Amino acid sequence: MALAQRFALPEIVGRLLAARGVDADEVETFLAPTLRALMPDPSILTDMDRGADRLARAVIAGQRIAVFGDYDVDGATASALLYRFFRAVGSEIGIYIPDRLREGYGPNAPALRRLRDRGVDVVVTVDCGITAFEALEAAREAGLDVIVVDHHEAEPRLPVAAAVIDANRLDEDPAVRARLGRLAAVGVAFLLAVAVNRSLRAAGWYRDGRPEPDLLRWLDLVALGTICDVVPLVGLNRALVAQGLKVLARRENAGLAALADVARLDERPGAWHLGFLLGPRVNAGGRVGEADLGARLLTTDDPAEAARLAARLDGYNAERRAIEQAVLDAAIAAVEHDDIGPHDPIFVAGEGWHPGVIGIVASRLKERYHRPALVVALDGAVGKGSGRSVTGIDLGNVVIAARQAGLLVNGGGHAMAAGLTVAAERVVELRDFLASRLRPQIADVALVPSLAIDGTLQAGAVTPELMSQIDRLGPFGTGNPEPRFALPAVRLLRADVVGDGHVRCVLGGSDNGRLKAIAFRAMEGPLGPSLLQAGGGIPVHLAGHLRPDTWQGRTEVQLLIDDAALPAGS
């Protein structure tokens, strides 16, 4: 109530701010996050000035630059951002995205040598490179200057490079690491572009009528990569996404506009649309199709080409969903067959599993079993693994420890996600190593599934006006979760199955209000059958998120159901 009264806010907004730990000094910045208030001087990052100066010299001297990016959304957006920036300042630049199946993750020596043979002088790695020791040593021997732009956990040893820009370097200033260590790679790339632009300005590059680029016009790319890499939406990340969503709404990027069209996005884009509609389609090329397709889409200015590329990504996304379901079914069967202890992580491996979907499958297993999960796709003598963790358990450090122990060909990551390559003959040894390191952490963390509830509502109180008030706390995501509300003792006036196992409902409240609701993929678990049973008029408590529902120009609100429970005594 105090925050609501002091800042003339609706009571519900004040309550939600207080529940998120926002104090009075932070309210205005939280509700209106701006780069002016939250953007740091890029020079506070170790090696930033060194990297920016080297790239500025390359631009002025006409040297060729290449971006070596990861094949996920963060890598594609960071690559596209730097491509657009260097093209705008008059530099010749190319993008290299490694093939997931043939080359694997991160820089590799043959690819870097090929870039050098093509006349490239400087390579910028984005979303990769912090542990690419052998590959970057080979690049140095070939005469390439490499600038690492990454955000993954580093080791005490750093790769040989002209500059290593990563707030998660162990020798980084702790205050800088606390402030910028949660940036996605595209956020670090944006800071690099700001720093290079400043170096070029200081060198007089923009004299004689050469235009200085507007870096803010590319914040739509930064927002997409930040959301899809599931980094916390706090501090600078929050400002980058908030401002990037405004840019995205202008549909100035031909590729993003075409992607929105194939995803049937016909309303003002929000963080949810980026994470669940646009991001998976950009990712699909790297997972099951052409690794560089996402970056090509995000760099084209030709609407016709953008439409073609977006359609191909949409097709790959459908293919990805089918492959993912098959691997998920096999992985669940493997987990259920194993004797999993109460503090064991989930670890499954399968021959012939598509490595492009194992990260998604790991995420689904994590959600299903409420503990860290790692999935390994075996292909003969080699396995590619991907893992996802839960809050409070640092999976990246454990994977790095496995690599340092000699169990992995390659591996790394951060607290919530990790990737690795392992010899098939060492998979069992790796499983035991990870279990021994993770069991104590799992034992110390409460892994009982729970839902945080921000308040209770009656069906009749859920209106577009309420939705607009709640949206003032957005953008929502990791670190700033979308508010969840409980609707007590509502009746399901209708409940039926639609689409791929979704359950659609019409709710009736004790206040005689009505509200539409949907539970996605609910028939995969007990929630769906429970809702269908309650459709007979049994009162039920529901918990979920509110989401705008736009149809034929009208905007209403529906509840996205997370869970349901029968009242006591029913």
Side-chain angles (χ1 to χ4, degrees), residues 503-507 515-519 542 557-561:
V503 176
R504 178 179 57 191
C505 309
V506 175
L507 312 179
L515 177 65
K516 293 191 293 184
I518 190 167
L542 296 179
V557 183
Q558 69 174 343
L559 178 73
L560 270 60
I561 301 172

Side-chain angles (χ1 to χ4, degrees), residues 130-151:
I130 194 65
T131 58
F133 304 111
E134 293 80 8
L136 297 197
E137 183 67 44
R140 170 65 62 87
E141 293 172 358
L144 271 177
D145 279 350
V146 177
I147 295 165
V148 174
V149 176
D150 208 343
H151 70 132

Side-chain angles (χ1 to χ4, degrees), residues 216-444:
L216 300 183
R217 65 184 296 195
W218 300 312
L219 285 176
D220 49 2
L221 296 170
V222 181
L224 178 60
T226 299
I227 288 290
C228 292
D229 218 54
V230 202
V231 294
L233 293 188
V234 297
L236 180 58
N237 282 338
R238 185 171 171 77
L240 292 170
V241 171
Q243 301 307 315
L245 287 172
K246 297 176 184 177
V247 177
L248 183 63
R250 302 202 296 259
R251 293 174 60 94
E252 294 176 348
N253 184 298
L256 287 175
L259 204 63
D261 290 341
V262 299
R264 298 177 181 84
L265 174 54
D266 57 1
E267 57 187 302
R268 187 175 181 85
W272 185 88
H273 300 103
L274 272 64
F276 291 93
L277 293 182
L278 304 188
R281 287 169 168 83
V282 174
N283 245 342
R287 291 191 182 280
V288 301
E290 303 158 75
D292 66 344
L293 205 55
R296 287 165 56 193
L297 174 75
L298 299 176
T299 54
T300 185
D301 292 318
D302 181 350
E305 181 186 16
R308 289 193 298 270
L309 295 175
R312 283 163 64 183
L313 283 169
D314 192 48
Y316 282 134
N317 192 49
E319 181 182 345
R320 184 270 306 168
R321 287 197 298 267
I323 295 171
E324 172 196 329
Q325 189 61 52
V327 175
L328 177 63
D329 291 344
I332 290 173
V335 173
E336 300 296 341
H337 181 267
D338 288 343
D339 183 18
I340 305 297
H343 300 139
D344 284 341
I346 300 299
F347 186 103
V348 289
E351 186 71 38
W353 290 355
H354 197 298
V357 301
I358 56 175
I360 305 173
V361 171
S363 181
R364 298 284 293 276
L365 294 176
K366 177 204 73 172
E367 294 168 1
R368 183 184 181 98
Y369 296 103
H370 314 291
R371 63 185 73 190
L374 196 137
V375 180
V376 178
L378 295 170
D379 182 11
V382 177
K384 299 291 180 66
S386 186
R388 299 292 183 269
S389 193
V390 297
T391 301
I393 297 178
D394 191 334
L395 183 60
N397 271 342
V398 175
V399 168
I400 290 172
R403 187 170 67 79
Q404 292 172 334
L407 296 176
L408 302 177
V409 177
N410 198 4
H414 50 76
M416 301 301 288
L420 57 86
T421 302
V422 59
E425 63 188 21
R426 308 204 73 174
V427 166
V428 173
E429 191 178 356
L430 172 64
R431 181 198 63 192
D432 294 343
F433 178 90
L434 295 178
S436 68
R437 293 296 185 97
L438 290 171
R439 280 190 193 112
Q441 296 187 52
I442 294 173
D444 289 341

